[in-house]
Amino acid sequence: MLKLGIIGTNWISRQFVEAAAASGQYQLTAVYSRREATAQAFIAKTQPAAAYTSMAAFLASDCEVVYIASPNSLHAQQAAAAIQADKHVLVEKPLVTHPQQLQVLNDALAKHPQVMVFEAARHLYDPNFQVVADYLKTHQVTGASLGYMKYSSRYDAYLAGKQPNIFSPQFAGGALMDLGIYLVYAAVAWFGMPQKAVYLPQMLASGVDGDGVAQLDYGAFDVVLRMGKTSNSTAQSEVYFGPDTIAFDSPGEFTALRLQTPKQSTDLWQYHAANPMAEEAAYFAQALRHNNRAAFSQQWALAQNVHALMGELRQSAGIHFDDDPE
Ligand SMILES: NC(=O)c1ccc[n+]([C@@H]2O[C@H](COP(=O)([O-])OP(=O)(O)OC[C@H]3O[C@@H](n4cnc5c(N)ncnc54)[C@H](OP(=O)(O)O)[C@@H]3O)[C@@H](O)[C@H]2O)c1
């Protein structure tokens, strides 16, 4: 059993603890919250564990792996602190909010070479994600249109004059950071790094992007990404292979996956667990328990490319966060 510590006590942490429990490979031992009562309420709803309001004490506890689901702007510094405390790290997307923060993490990893860090990009571990990747190995791609647009439950609060973290540049919020990253992950994992990339966002008055379109130029083909938190999209995502098309709802949430040729339509959808974090929780546990450095190296290299491209897209749109380097 991997002793699990949690940072952040919102519903997503509870969902991860449930996925971790279902894998049978983790035991919750430590919960960090800014408030004791919040930590205790989280523990009451999940599993028995020690509550901490001091980060230093939490990191000095005997947990072996830390799952971080705090506001985006805190991920890199909390991940670095966990690495320095010799904990493995599972950090919610986005791993970093500026590509320069990758260096801080790489420096920490160089000093703690036994530690592994995984970004919790849950869709990578959905079997349907791999179906597309496998199809691409033997078929010539000619383009793609990928979308993930969901009206955020917090947008109403934003419109009412509040500033939820996810709509704030102080916490590195916005559509690209929150949902766009799923699309950027899919594009980089499936097609590699583009030659050029540009992001055209609709900016909110708060200073983050409410929605937007990115174009990735791969030379021989284009990939268009449509992301947003202020509207609901029902458009399907597609990867093109000349006359044939693989169509699915979104790389962020596969509930359908079909291959459409001029002659026939074939269902390619693979069963995935009801808890969307189940597959990643099991994958991370396997990698950590068997010291699978190859899995770590592969996913770490992918994450670094993803965040280089995220940085390029953000720079092309002139989106600035409060914590950006000068
Ligand atoms: N993989 C997925 O499907 C998925 C889904 C949703 C969210 N996420 C990711 O999970 C992360 C958290 O998202 P969220 O919507 O839960 O964020 P959030 O509600 O803004 O904050 C998450 C937790 O961080 C702590 N926190 C809140 N404000 C803080 C502040 N000002 N300073 C320090 N800590 C603060 C709170 O825990 P305490 O009060 O206990 O300190 C809170 O429960 C994000 O990075 C997001 O991208 C992933």
Side-chain angles (χ1 to χ4, degrees):
M1 286 285 204
L2 288 161
K3 292 180 183 156
L4 174 65
I6 296 283
I7 298 176
T9 55
N10 201 4
W11 66 269
I12 192 66
S13 295
R14 207 160 65 238
Q15 192 173 81
F16 185 78
V17 170
E18 285 163 8
S23 78
Q25 302 189 79
Y26 302 82
Q27 185 195 352
L28 183 66
T29 61
V31 174
Y32 168 82
S33 172
R34 292 164 299 166
R35 280 178 295 274
E36 172 79 20
T38 315
Q40 294 296 356
F42 184 88
I43 289 164
K45 281 192 212 139
T46 53
Q47 294 169 23
Y52 295 90
T53 53
S54 151
M55 184 62 78
F58 169 80
L59 291 176
S61 77
D62 69 350
C63 68
E64 297 157 280
V65 51
V66 174
Y67 168 74
I68 300 174
S70 54
N72 297 346
S73 60
L74 304 179
H75 292 181
Q77 68 192 68
Q78 289 175 338
I83 297 167
Q84 278 147 15
D86 280 321
K87 312 292 185 194
H88 297 299
V89 185
L90 312 176
V91 56
E92 262 307 333
K93 48 78 193 169
L95 167 71
V96 296
T97 57
H98 191 288
Q100 280 188 23
Q101 293 168 339
L102 291 170
Q103 192 56 50
V104 177
L105 296 179
N106 276 317
D107 289 348
L109 283 169
K111 290 188 188 134
H112 299 267
Q114 76 291 356
V115 168
M116 293 193 238
V117 179
F118 290 97
E119 183 168 15
R122 56 174 165 68
H123 61 324
L124 298 184
Y125 307 95
D126 183 321
N128 293 285
F129 193 93
Q130 194 56 39
V131 170
V132 180
D134 288 343
Y135 195 84
L136 279 155
K137 285 180 194 157
T138 50
H139 297 81
Q140 186 59 50
V141 63
T142 54
S145 169
L146 308 177
Y148 202 11
M149 283 188 32
K150 280 170 74 168
Y151 187 91
S152 167
S153 55
R154 289 168 180 170
Y155 191 49
D156 290 330
Y158 172 81
L159 291 175
K162 303 198 176 104
Q163 198 164 97
N165 296 343
I166 201 58
F167 287 105
S168 158
Q170 185 189 350
F171 293 102
L176 176 63
M177 286 287 145
D178 192 47
L179 298 185
I181 186 165
Y182 289 97
L183 308 178
V184 174
Y185 250 108
V188 175
W190 290 340
F191 315 121
M193 289 295 270
Q195 295 172 4
K196 278 187 284 179
V198 63
Y199 181 44
L200 300 169
Q202 282 295 328
M203 298 299 290
L204 301 178
S206 67
V208 303
D209 50 324
D211 66 71
V213 178
Q215 190 199 12
L216 312 182
D217 179 354
Y218 284 86
F221 62 93
D222 281 332
V223 173
V224 174
L225 313 179
R226 184 90 164 101
M227 61 207 82
K229 293 187 66 64
T230 58
S231 305
N232 273 323
S233 170
T234 58
Q236 62 180 11
S237 293
E238 297 177 324
V239 183
Y240 309 115
F241 303 89
D244 302 337
T245 304
I246 287 188
F248 43 99
D249 31 12
S250 165
E253 283 176 36
F254 289 94
T255 56
L257 181 67
R258 300 193 75 76
L259 171 64
Q260 184 72 49
T261 71
K263 292 201 176 134
Q264 62 181 7
S265 175
T266 311
D267 190 358
L268 300 181
W269 191 77
Q270 302 285 307
Y271 171 81
H272 62 179
N275 183 326
M277 307 177 91
E279 282 104 2
E280 64 174 349
Y283 178 94
F284 299 147
Q286 284 297 315
L288 297 178
R289 291 179 70 195
H290 299 289
N291 193 26
N292 187 346
R293 305 285 315 173
F296 160 64
S297 299
Q298 180 185 306
Q299 300 307 69
W300 189 245
L302 175 61
Q304 295 197 84
N305 278 339
V306 163
H307 288 287
L309 181 52
M310 290 285 286
E312 193 180 334
L313 289 170
R314 191 154 74 82
Q315 195 176 24
S316 75
I319 301 171
H320 299 288
F321 298 142
D322 294 6
D323 289 346
D324 279 347
E326 294 292 304

